[in-house]
Amino acid sequence: MNINVTLIAQIIAFVTLLWFVNRVLWNPMNDLLTARQKRIADGLAAAEKGKHELELSEKRAKEHLVEAKSQAAEILAQAERRGSDIVEEAKEKARTEAERLVIAAKADIEQEANRAKEQLRGKVASVAAAGAGRILGREVDEKAHADLMKDLVGQI
Amino acid sequence: MSGSSDGGGTVAYIQHHLTNLCVGDCDPVTHKAAGFWALHVDTVFFSVALGVLMIVVSHRLGQNLVTGTPGGFQNFVEMIIDFVSGQVKDTFPGHNPIIAPLALTIFVWVWLMNFMDLIPVDLLPLIASGVLGIEYLKVVPTTDLNTTMAMSLTVFALILYYNFKVKGAAGYLKMFLFHPFGKFFVPVNIVMTVIEELAKPLSLGLRLFGNLFAGELVFLLIALIGGTMAVGLGALIWFPLQVVLDLGWLIFHLLVITLQAFIFMVLTIVYLAMAHTEDH
């Protein structure tokens, strides 16, 4: 007879082995594999998040750059404006200065002319006196005729 | 004549190899089991020894599991477990925590028991008779119908249990009455379904037994080529032939034992999946 009590022994062995495998091999390994799966999933999620954050910060950096550029342009425009203002101011100053100088020069010239006139008057008086002396043949005393001379000079 | 004595020797050799180490209700002449109360000690010993090996190795592996990057052996075990749970996920609907460990146990245990077939046929019996004085030893547990039927009947018990649990007694009975030909062929349906259900454990157990028994027999026949057939100068021809044939059959059989273990596992999953599905 082929089937005998060995069958029952083997059934017991099989069920016992099943129980042990479930306990010793399957459950720990399954837990391990599940834990690893979770770890990998977490890692991938973290990587995804990092990538997202990188994208965000890149975007932010670009925005910053654009802002900085516009700011720089504004500052440049301001500086230009200010520069032209300064130039304008300087021009104005130069003009007033020039005017002032011209006025001063004119005054100087007038003064000089006056002084020259005065000198000339004096010279003319002495020349006139000398000429009159020659004409009269004698020396005209300038002191004696000072009043006359003065009067003459005043007429010039 | 020499031919008949050779034939007698051959038969005796094969017979001897296919006889279990029987304890209990055994025939004193043939040493075969004579009644139900006969225990095949060798079958039980080798299957339990392989089971213990599985447990010990698993336990030692379990002591130093690595979550991060597993090394060689853990990787190998993970590969097997991944393979088995992949099969379960592909075939089995829903979730039942017993299916995957069951499939894993069957796959690994059956493979290990089948693997005993690849150990040279005369080696272990020779050691047993020479060192331990054991006359009869059948090494491969799966060439014993008791082992394969034990597994298939356990699976069958689970099939029945889950049929009752999932479909209920009424639902299971309905399957017998109205499957596969509808309500007008109830008697035919009963016969068909009973045969179908009974064929599951029978085919499961007999397929494994048949394949491994045949494989063992071929190994024995190949062993005979260089054994009883080769006498004197004939050995020069027969011995190399034996080596070549043995190697060829060994390589082929390595595929067979894996395939058989795989088939047993997959069919177990499929049958239990069928037990879990409401509509048939």
Side-chain angles (χ1 to χ4, degrees), chain A residues 30-45:
Chain A
N30 205 37
D31 290 352
L32 177 92
L33 292 180
T34 314
R36 186 181 303 153
Q37 229 167 24
K38 194 177 167 298
R39 248 180 66 173
I40 291 171
D42 286 355
L44 285 177

Side-chain angles (χ1 to χ4, degrees), chain B residues 203-215:
Chain B
S203 67
L204 205 57
L206 288 176
R207 178 184 304 107
L208 182 60
F209 166 72
N211 272 285
L212 269 291
F213 190 84

